[in-house]
Amino acid sequence: MNFLSSLLKKRNLQKHDNRSLWKYFLNEEESNELKKCLQFSTPLNIDPRDVTLYYAFWWKKNYNGGIPSKQEVFNSVGGNAQYNFTEQSFYKLAIEGAQILGIKWIKKQNTLRFKTLLLQGGLPLKHISDNQGKYKDFLEAVLVEQPSSIEDFMFKSHIIDLLPKSSQNDMVYENCLEIVKSILNNDGEFDKLLESEDTLKEISSSLKVKSASISKKVRQSKPKNYWLLRFDDDKCKITLRLGLANTYTQETLQDILGFSIAEKEYQFYMDDNLICVFRRMNNNSYKTDWYNQQNREWNISDGFPYTYVICNDEKIEVSDFVQIIPNLEEPSLWSRFNDNEWRLVKGNSVPSKEAAVLIPNRWKSDLPCSQVTLYSNSLQWMPFEGEIKVQSKELNYERVFLTDVESFDWLIQTQKPNWMLKANLPVVKTVPKVLVFDENGYDISRNRFKVYLRKHKSKDSWDDITSLKYIKTGCFDIRIVKGDLVAYDTFFNIGNLKARFTEQSIHSASIVFENLDYFTCKLNESSLVEITESNNYYSLKLNTEYSKIPTTIKGAIGNSGKKKLYFDLLSPFQGMIITDSEGQIIPEDQKLSLANLYGMRILSTNNKETFLTIKNSLKTDVKITKVVKESTQPVISFKDEIVRLFYLADAMNYRNTVCLELSEGTNKKTFEISGFSHTLDVTNELVRQVALYDSNDNLDLFAVPVNCNAKDIDMIPLSRNDGDYLIPNTDISNQFIIISSKKQGNQLMPRFVKTSEQVLTVDSKERIENFHKELSITEFNDDVWQQVISYFKICTQYELPFSTFDQLRAISRSSEVAAKAFLLLGINQVDPIEYVQKDIPELEKDLGFCFHWIAVSHWGNSINEISQLIGDQYYSSILEIISNYMSNNGLESLFRIMSDPNLKTEPVLQSHIINLRSQLGKRVLNELPYNSPKISKDYNIQIEDHNQVRLLIQSPIAAAESINDIQQEFPIWAGNEKRDVIRRNIQYSQYLKPDFYNKTLLHALTRS
């Protein structure tokens, strides 16, 4: 009943080879066979991989317009499947099959599993073929746009309207974006697929001709974030979708963040949730590394989201990142996004032909409307084309909304004070500065538009903003006029209002508001906080019963009877604690793991220096100490350091934890973080049963065969029976590593199990050494090297430690084998940038070595060997992988030295070492590990005069001697446990002061 297994045999493949599923090119007979196989399958005999393949097949052959749905895919199967499965269980099988196949999920603001499954089908050939002319025109228009994300074209009606109405959804847009990128990059990715249908060949050739004639487009980089109103089964909800691109140039990212950038990475947060990390690539562009966050549902009591980046432990606010929020008290314009979703539009006009207005019941219109309930508010919903007028029942004025006309955008630059985290309106302190943009995001010169303002909902005349040097405090409306188009907005002027904290502790706080002018101010009490007020002086007392700290205090200011400014005040409660995402205080004995750090925050005490010391519970000689500079800082911002120290000890040791020690003077608190949230009970392994130790959680577990042939390495899902997991009976192996996928912050520690008494146990060190010997004497085509590739892929897909598998541990035992592994793994990656910038640093931290220690001669031998394997024509691509790795570590000169040993480098002088000691400071100097690597000579560096930083000098020298292959007596490769400590200390030296490390390495390297 397993279709994919038989298909692989027909294709002369031992197992799935990581190609996109459409590249199997199922013929008509095979397509019918797949469908028939699923029609007569049952939950006991179905292969999840077949379901995954069917999703891809459905997209390619069956999709014919509209928003694709899981139900539609399931219904198309027919047969007994309709009785044996449900739409949801069928979808879960498809997800499981994708995990087994190693398909990488598309990640943006959240993990797009459904989209990933469909896009494995490549292109919706049936739909494109049936609408050939429209798709051709659409793809050519998108090609001219040269988009980096679908947001660059999906709101431009002159492009979108080229598609049939049924195709106007972001799944199709995403698919078409991939086609256009392939054409622009000239990589031929979809050539074979397009040319498989006669009707589509013209599209392919036309796009290539068009591509040759267009010049590179310079794009504006305003954030393309948007709110979506979804109607689903008579329920309405609004979510925020972030329109960040996958890559940015340095200039465009600077425009989005609002400040100059030059560092390697920037962590981007929204309301203390890590959204993504912008990582610099070797071409100085930045790649967006998404973290798994769900689309944010709007909270009616929230203001504009609070956005910031953290770089080098410094928090920098990103102002005006989200420039509009829903307002249910005023009429709002919505443009159709797809069949049941609408996008909030800023302004009164849209280029699209169809739109809708959402108005409160105190407004009216002559057009027919429907009543909707949204967040307990009763509103009127009116789709329209052309023009619609709505009138206020309270005031004698109307708003006009238009479709099918050009639009513009604007920004009221905020001047929000630091104590105010969020507000429901743009906040200014004087006459606001208003920027206006055309529909392409370009600034419009001041003489092409006019801005007027007046008090909110007053009947005053409108004042030209350019004639004003001063305005009163309070709420104002603005009116922007560009040609025949008019738009409105609202802002709040707080003037010189200040909030000053006169007392702050973990249980109480006092706040005084100054320069209130004629404002009244109110802070909201809650079950957590009791508030008393006297003459604008507020005393806050925490209810300790809940062991919870509010993340913010909500409040409001404004003139009596006028529109108020609702704001979130920075939580004044400060003390040395850690809280979770709900503000719950985390006790020191609570179980924490690397998988569930999201939302946790470190709170520190005002006017006290708070230190965070991170150390491994089993290897305490290496410490990383950070000053907590902000009153509240996400724990996830220190994840790189936490992971680095976790890997000091064996990741597979359940006793291995990382200690977070918070200290303020003599006051200390310690928290322990384990690598995983769950461990495995293997008591019944011999009867093929395992269970989660002391847990009823439902994780997806897989058995990975070990001590078997590479062709048999696969992900074998474990079925669940009550509280136990069952290991299927297989002839492949009787030894497995049981792993899990990450699920809602949970992940199982990988665990070896055996299902037979006959398994011969070999000491771990002996196993690793045996694998190392085999790797050193075999060629790339041999089975042990194919095992390395398979296990590496599983580790990256499931975010497992690379030390999970002994074959991967073995590559760190010598320079020769490390060089071969680096190149073989490199040429087998779909994304070489991610390999160099993400996978390799994780592998180095985990296994405790660095690839830049490899001897130049071993690089040469491995380059020749890999060139023979894949062809000399790829020689430059092989060198590029090494070059990118060196560049990522700031070692471009080392790469040049590999081909020119006579290259001159700057010497390390006494002044450099004195400066190093000064930069580190007394505290860090006292924490430096003691064990330093042995070196053959000092290369004219006065090490004895600087014994306190001996480790930081000798570490890069030892690396240089390894590169030159001159240290025979005390090599930094292999050896006993002490040698492992030495290697970790060398890595620590590079982490602590990379510039000094690199300078000293180059000094020793060229002065041998």
Side-chain angles (χ1 to χ4, degrees):
M1 295 295 288
N2 305 130
F3 172 80
L4 185 61
S5 299
S6 61
L7 180 71
L8 293 173
K9 287 179 182 177
K10 285 173 65 175
R11 302 290 194 269
N12 294 317
L13 294 170
Q14 294 180 331
K15 61 179 181 177
H16 174 60
D17 59 2
N18 300 329
R19 72 179 73 183
S20 296
L21 296 182
W22 63 263
K23 292 184 179 179
Y24 284 115
F25 289 101
L26 273 63
N27 58 38
E28 197 68 32
E29 182 183 344
E30 290 168 335
S31 300
N32 291 333
E33 187 182 340
L34 169 62
K35 191 169 184 177
K36 187 176 180 181
C37 177
L38 292 173
Q39 286 177 336
F40 293 97
S41 60
T42 70
L44 295 177
N45 63 21
I46 194 168
D47 186 338
R49 299 175 305 167
D50 292 346
V51 184
T52 308
L53 185 61
Y54 186 79
Y55 263 77
F57 159 79
W58 180 89
W59 174 252
K60 179 181 173 182
K61 292 289 189 180
N62 288 26
Y63 173 73
N64 199 24
I67 299 176
S69 69
K70 306 178 191 79
Q71 189 69 54
E72 194 176 1
V73 178
F74 177 61
N75 290 345
S76 70
V77 178
N80 291 340
Q82 303 298 306
Y83 306 101
N84 293 328
F85 304 95
T86 64
E87 161 256 330
Q88 195 59 30
S89 66
F90 196 70
Y91 174 59
K92 285 183 177 179
L93 283 166
I95 291 175
E96 187 178 303
Q99 291 175 320
I100 297 169
L101 292 168
I103 292 170
K104 196 167 186 179
W105 300 117
I106 298 170
K107 282 189 179 182
K108 290 208 171 178
Q109 192 175 346
N110 57 344
T111 302
L112 307 174
R113 291 184 174 84
F114 182 58
K115 182 178 288 187
T116 304
L117 292 171
L118 295 188
L119 296 189
Q120 278 289 308
L123 307 177
L125 295 185
K126 173 176 173 54
H127 194 56
I128 295 176
S129 183
D130 289 350
N131 300 276
Q132 178 193 356
K134 292 184 176 181
Y135 265 95
K136 175 176 169 291
D137 293 343
F138 173 73
L139 286 165
E140 286 186 357
V142 174
L143 187 74
V144 171
E145 201 65 27
Q146 299 172 50
S148 57
S149 67
I150 61 175
E151 284 77 16
D152 290 332
F153 62 84
M154 67 190 294
F155 303 132
K156 298 186 175 182
S157 58
H158 70 281
I159 297 178
I160 297 304
D161 288 346
L162 295 171
L163 277 176
K165 202 79 173 174
S166 62
S167 300
Q168 295 177 15
N169 62 74
D170 62 341
M171 189 79 78
V172 169
Y173 303 155
E174 201 79 56
N175 218 164
C176 291
L177 174 65
E178 292 306 309
I179 300 173
V180 166
K181 281 185 175 179
S182 176
I183 297 293
L184 290 171
N185 296 332
N186 196 29
D187 60 19
E189 172 72 7
F190 293 103
D191 283 1
K192 193 174 179 181
L193 187 56
L194 284 169
E195 291 168 9
S196 66
E197 302 264 341
D198 290 338
T199 56
L200 303 182
K201 288 180 182 178
E202 184 189 345
I203 292 179
S204 179
S205 58
S206 174
L207 289 174
K208 288 177 181 178
V209 171
K210 188 79 172 179
S211 176
S213 67
I214 61 176
S215 54
K216 188 167 179 63
K217 183 171 184 174
V218 178
R219 180 173 303 285
Q220 290 296 98
S221 51
K222 280 181 83 255
K224 299 177 180 69
N225 310 311
Y226 43 100
W227 297 93
L228 293 179
L229 170 57
R230 182 179 180 88
F231 294 95
D232 198 0
D233 298 329
D234 296 326
K235 294 179 182 177
C236 305
K237 71 175 182 178
I238 298 175
T239 56
L240 174 63
R241 181 161 159 174
L242 301 182
L244 292 170
N246 288 328
T247 57
Y248 288 101
T249 65
Q250 183 175 352
E251 293 74 21
T252 54
L253 186 58
Q254 283 177 170
D255 289 345
I256 283 178
L257 297 182
F259 55 85
S260 296
I261 61 173
E263 300 298 327
K264 286 186 70 171
E265 69 173 47
Y266 295 86
Q267 301 174 2
F268 177 75
Y269 293 82
M270 179 175 287
D271 293 339
D272 287 342
N273 293 313
L274 179 60
I275 301 297
C276 63
V277 178
F278 300 112
R279 289 196 169 90
R280 189 175 66 202
M281 299 183 286
N282 293 325
N283 62 0
N284 285 327
S285 292
Y286 284 80
K287 183 175 183 180
T288 308
D289 186 7
W290 289 92
Y291 282 73
N292 189 12
Q293 301 290 334
Q294 296 300 312
N295 278 345
R296 174 197 178 97
E297 184 170 357
W298 180 54
N299 185 332
I300 195 169
S301 65
D302 272 358
F304 287 87
Y306 175 52
T307 51
Y308 60 90
V309 297
I310 291 180
C311 177
N312 297 329
D313 303 330
E314 298 279 355
K315 182 188 288 187
I316 308 166
E317 185 171 353
V318 179
S319 299
D320 304 316
F321 181 76
V322 176
Q323 298 173 5
I324 183 175
I325 55 174
N327 181 359
L328 304 185
E329 296 179 358
E330 298 286 336
S332 55
L333 181 63
W334 299 78
S335 175
R336 183 178 287 282
F337 186 71
N338 54 44
D339 284 354
N340 61 347
E341 287 184 306
W342 298 73
R343 173 178 64 95
L344 177 60
V345 176
K346 194 176 183 182
N348 290 28
S349 61
V350 288
S352 58
K353 293 180 179 178
E354 184 182 11
V357 290
L358 183 68
I359 63 173
N361 284 332
R362 62 176 182 272
W363 288 71
K364 64 178 181 177
S365 172
D366 294 333
L367 286 182
C369 67
S370 57
Q371 288 290 132
V372 297
T373 301
L374 193 57
Y375 301 94
S376 302
N377 289 270
S378 180
L379 303 128
Q380 302 170 61
W381 177 254
M382 285 172 282
F384 73 100
E385 292 184 13
E387 178 183 287
I388 186 174
K389 295 178 181 178
V390 295
Q391 295 86 26
S392 168
K393 296 178 183 177
E394 302 169 349
L395 301 170
N396 187 26
Y397 64 81
E398 68 179 13
R399 292 275 174 89
V400 179
F401 296 93
L402 303 169
T403 67
D404 203 16
V405 297
E406 69 173 38
S407 63
F408 63 89
D409 194 6
W410 68 91
L411 168 64
I412 303 172
Q413 290 191 325
T414 58
Q415 300 169 312
K416 184 167 54 68
N418 291 336
W419 52 266
M420 188 183 291
L421 283 186
K422 301 163 70 171
N424 67 322
L425 295 170
V427 174
V428 301
K429 298 179 181 179
T430 182
V431 178
K433 182 175 181 180
V434 180
L435 304 177
V436 177
F437 310 92
D438 66 18
E439 58 187 0
N440 292 315
Y442 290 92
D443 287 346
I444 298 175
S445 59
R446 190 68 184 82
N447 61 2
R448 291 177 55 203
F449 66 91
K450 293 281 189 182
V451 180
Y452 304 90
L453 63 75
R454 70 182 181 189
K455 275 285 190 176
H456 180 60
K457 287 193 175 179
S458 74
K459 296 183 179 180
D460 298 344
S461 60
W462 291 96
D463 293 321
D464 189 329
I465 201 168
T466 58
S467 67
L468 301 174
K469 294 184 179 178
Y470 165 82
I471 58 173
K472 293 181 179 180
T473 57
C475 189
F476 287 81
D477 292 328
I478 64 168
R479 181 171 175 258
I480 306 169
V481 180
K482 178 181 176 289
D484 295 330
L485 299 176
V486 179
Y488 298 87
D489 205 344
T490 307
F491 69 88
F492 200 96
N493 177 29
I494 62 169
N496 197 31
L497 176 66
K498 289 181 171 60
R500 184 163 52 86
F501 300 99
T502 57
E503 178 208 340
Q504 288 181 272
S505 72
I506 197 63
H507 294 134
S508 62
S510 297
I511 307 166
V512 60
F513 285 90
E514 300 171 344
N515 307 319
L516 267 173
D517 202 1
Y518 294 104
F519 288 148
T520 57
C521 180
K522 176 175 172 48
L523 297 183
N524 298 352
E525 280 193 331
S526 68
S527 59
L528 295 179
V529 183
E530 178 185 313
I531 301 176
T532 57
E533 184 267 337
S534 176
N535 295 323
N536 300 324
Y537 184 93
Y538 294 80
S539 296
L540 287 74
K541 187 177 180 182
L542 191 70
N543 184 345
T544 58
E545 175 188 349
Y546 296 99
S547 296
K548 196 171 183 179
I549 307 293
T551 53
T552 61
I553 303 294
K554 292 191 177 294
I557 55 173
N559 301 118
S560 179
K562 303 293 184 183
K563 185 176 177 66
K564 304 286 193 299
L565 175 73
Y566 294 94
F567 62 88
D568 283 10
L569 180 78
L570 177 68
S571 179
F573 300 107
Q574 295 188 354
M576 195 180 65
I577 58 170
I578 296 180
T579 64
D580 65 15
S581 58
E582 303 299 319
Q584 198 74 38
I585 296 174
I586 295 175
E588 291 180 79
D589 59 355
Q590 183 169 324
K591 185 179 180 181
L592 305 175
S593 75
L594 291 174
N596 62 16
L597 299 181
Y598 297 96
M600 290 168 49
R601 298 177 302 136
I602 297 173
L603 273 58
S604 57
T605 305
N606 190 32
N607 297 324
K608 285 190 179 180
E609 198 167 37
T610 306
F611 293 101
L612 172 66
T613 301
I614 310 169
K615 58 187 176 183
N616 189 291
S617 60
L618 302 179
K619 304 273 187 177
T620 57
D621 51 330
V622 176
K623 298 177 183 176
I624 296 175
T625 301
K626 297 280 188 178
V627 178
V628 181
K629 298 177 181 178
E630 303 290 334
S631 59
T632 170
Q633 186 149 346
V635 174
I636 196 77
S637 67
F638 300 110
K639 188 176 182 181
D640 283 351
E641 287 81 5
I642 295 170
V643 169
R644 179 177 295 278
L645 293 190
F646 174 72
Y647 284 137
L648 285 182
D650 188 349
M652 298 299 104
N653 185 341
Y654 71 93
R655 295 185 296 115
N656 179 16
T657 60
V658 174
C659 298
L660 302 187
E661 183 184 270
L662 287 173
S663 60
E664 292 175 352
T666 57
N667 187 18
K668 288 183 171 59
K669 289 184 179 179
T670 302
F671 303 84
E672 280 200 340
I673 298 176
S674 61
F676 304 90
S677 59
H678 291 72
T679 54
L680 198 67
D681 181 350
V682 297
T683 306
N684 298 317
E685 61 181 341
L686 294 179
V687 293
R688 299 185 171 275
Q689 289 185 7
V690 292
L692 298 179
Y693 182 77
D694 196 25
S695 172
N696 292 318
D697 290 343
N698 184 20
L699 297 186
D700 296 327
L701 300 192
F702 299 89
V704 183
V706 293
N707 297 324
C708 63
N709 292 326
K711 66 179 178 61
D712 293 323
I713 296 173
D714 219 337
M715 305 293 296
I716 303 173
L718 273 58
S719 58
R720 194 165 190 188
N721 181 22
D722 293 329
D724 291 330
Y725 289 85
L726 309 180
I727 303 172
N729 199 353
T730 173
D731 295 332
I732 294 172
S733 178
N734 52 19
Q735 300 167 69
F736 306 90
I737 301 289
I738 307 298
I739 67 168
S740 81
S741 55
K742 276 189 178 178
K743 189 174 183 180
Q744 298 174 340
N746 294 320
Q747 189 177 30
L748 176 75
M749 173 181 280
R751 178 73 186 266
F752 173 79
V753 300
K754 58 184 181 182
T755 57
S756 170
E757 292 276 19
Q758 272 63 55
V759 173
L760 295 175
T761 55
V762 180
D763 176 73
S764 173
K765 291 181 180 178
E766 185 180 344
R767 281 199 314 272
I768 294 167
E769 189 53 44
N770 289 340
F771 279 126
H772 173 254
K773 287 177 182 176
E774 193 175 354
L775 290 167
S776 62
I777 62 174
T778 53
E779 297 182 349
F780 285 132
N781 282 324
D782 287 333
D783 195 73
V784 67
W785 280 108
Q786 298 309 306
Q787 292 175 36
V788 167
I789 294 172
S790 295
Y791 289 135
F792 181 88
K793 178 192 165 193
I794 290 171
C795 288
T796 55
Q797 181 194 354
Y798 285 86
E799 299 181 56
L800 301 174
F802 294 97
S803 51
T804 300
F805 301 101
D806 290 339
Q807 289 88 336
L808 298 180
R809 290 185 185 233
I811 69 176
S812 68
R813 309 305 288 166
S814 71
S815 171
E816 300 96 322
V817 171
K820 294 171 71 173
F822 180 90
L823 295 179
L824 181 65
L825 292 171
I827 65 168
N828 278 280
Q829 300 307 306
V830 175
D831 188 343
I833 293 174
E834 185 162 306
Y835 172 69
V836 164
Q837 294 195 330
K838 193 173 180 182
D839 299 337
I840 288 299
E842 286 296 316
L843 185 145
E844 289 180 329
K845 282 186 287 190
D846 184 355
L847 302 185
F849 80 104
C850 294
F851 285 103
H852 74 261
W853 301 346
I854 292 170
V856 173
S857 59
H858 297 148
W859 277 124
N861 294 339
S862 298
I863 290 169
N864 290 335
E865 193 174 340
I866 206 79
S867 295
Q868 291 174 17
L869 177 71
I870 64 174
D872 291 335
Q873 66 269 33
Y874 297 106
Y875 183 80
S876 59
S877 300
I878 296 167
L879 290 183
E880 188 178 8
I881 300 174
I882 304 173
S883 171
N884 287 341
Y885 165 74
M886 296 297 184
S887 180
N888 195 53
N889 285 279
L891 288 167
E892 296 90 344
S893 295
L894 172 55
F895 182 72
R896 292 195 291 271
I897 288 170
M898 288 170 61
S899 55
D900 182 10
N902 298 317
L903 194 71
K904 300 298 181 185
T905 60
E906 293 182 4
V908 174
L909 306 174
Q910 285 271 34
S911 59
H912 296 129
I913 304 175
I914 292 169
N915 187 43
L916 169 72
R917 295 176 64 167
S918 174
Q919 289 175 359
L920 292 175
K922 183 177 179 181
R923 175 178 50 78
V924 177
L925 287 171
N926 289 336
E927 290 179 350
L928 288 177
Y930 175 75
N931 291 301
S932 299
K934 302 281 188 181
I935 57 176
S936 61
K937 58 182 181 180
D938 60 20
Y939 299 88
N940 295 321
I941 299 176
Q942 305 302 312
I943 301 174
E944 297 302 326
D945 295 341
H946 303 281
N947 199 50
Q948 202 172 15
V949 290
R950 176 182 293 274
L951 171 66
L952 302 187
I953 302 172
Q954 292 189 187
S955 290
I957 292 176
E961 291 187 339
S962 174
I963 294 166
N964 281 332
D965 202 18
I966 61 175
Q967 176 57 277
Q968 303 300 323
E969 189 176 359
F970 300 105
I972 57 177
W973 300 88
N976 56 20
E977 188 173 339
K978 183 174 181 181
R979 195 77 58 79
D980 182 58
V981 171
I982 294 293
R983 284 193 291 274
R984 299 286 185 179
N985 287 353
I986 297 173
Q987 288 183 310
Y988 176 71
S989 300
Q990 182 189 16
Y991 156 79
L992 191 62
K993 280 295 172 186
D995 291 342
F996 181 83
Y997 177 95
N998 291 351
K999 186 180 186 68
T1000 307
L1001 183 147
L1002 295 172
H1003 169 107
L1005 202 59
T1006 54
R1007 290 166 177 81
S1008 299

